[in-house]
């Protein structure tokens, strides 16, 4: 029997990953249960699945956003240095090399993968706007 439950994960300002059932709001704290979840989408910069996005000298606040492609095999990140990086997903090993990197002129606050096929991705990039 298959039971479908809506689960959401959030990254807190103190850089903690929290997982909740929706709409009850019950927090899941059992790591064994969390590890068995197959996520439909991924936009978090925290978690065992994305440890490799952090470079050796990165601080917690340097990587601002992440998005996994619809196929679930590519991960794109944006950071404070204006870099957009493409990784294989998941990337659970520390200090993974990027598959591709674009440097923009502003720090990236959000990113969305629109299309990804054979290592070629079309992305929508949202730079920080100082209005």
């Amino acid at each position: 029997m298959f039971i479908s439950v809506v689960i959401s994960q959030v990254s807190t300002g103190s850089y903690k990953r929290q997982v909740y059932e929706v709409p009850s709001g019950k927090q899941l704290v059992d790591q064994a249960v969390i590890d068995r979840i197959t996520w439909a989408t991924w936009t978090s910069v925290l978690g065992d699945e994305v440890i490799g996005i952090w470079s050796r000298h990165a601080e917690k606040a340097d990587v601002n956003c992440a998005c996994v492609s619809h196929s679930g095999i590519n991960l794109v990140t944006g950071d404070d240095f204006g870099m957009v990086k493409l990784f294989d997903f998941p990337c659970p090993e520390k200090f993974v090399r990027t598959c591709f990197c674009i440097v923009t002129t502003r720090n990236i606050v959000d990113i969305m993968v629109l299309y990804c096929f054979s290592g070629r991705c079309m992305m929508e990039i949202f730079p920080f706007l100082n209005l």
Side-chain angles (χ1 to χ4, degrees):
M1 184 166 117
F2 178 76
I3 299 172
S4 178
V5 177
V6 177
I7 305 289
S8 181
Q9 67 177 331
V10 296
S11 302
T12 69
S14 59
Y15 299 96
K16 302 242 189 275
R17 176 184 177 200
Q18 296 178 340
V19 179
Y20 295 92
E21 288 183 1
V22 177
S24 72
K26 178 185 172 196
Q27 184 175 0
L28 299 178
V29 293
D30 185 349
Q31 192 59 47
V33 171
I34 294 169
D35 290 343
R36 289 194 311 267
I37 297 171
T38 300
W39 298 98
T41 62
W42 188 282
T43 57
S44 179
V45 297
L46 301 177
D48 292 340
E49 298 85 342
V50 294
I51 288 173
I53 68 173
W54 300 92
S55 67
R56 286 188 198 283
H57 307 291
E59 295 180 11
K60 287 183 177 177
D62 288 345
V63 180
N64 300 321
C65 53
C67 184
V68 171
S69 64
H70 296 291
S71 64
I73 60 173
N74 298 108
L75 172 74
V76 178
T77 64
D79 64 29
D80 280 348
F81 310 107
M83 298 177 97
V84 175
K85 298 177 183 176
L86 176 65
F87 297 90
D88 291 330
F89 183 80
C91 51
E93 302 296 322
K94 287 185 176 182
F95 316 125
V96 173
R97 288 186 161 194
T98 61
C99 299
F100 185 74
C101 181
I102 300 170
V103 180
T104 65
T105 58
R106 298 182 173 182
N107 62 345
I108 309 299
V109 295
D110 202 4
I111 195 163
M112 182 185 347
V113 178
L114 300 175
Y115 175 81
C116 214
F117 182 73
S118 297
R120 296 180 180 198
C121 292
M122 179 178 290
M123 299 164 262
E124 189 167 7
I125 301 168
F126 304 94
F128 175 76
L129 298 176
N130 192 5
L131 303 175

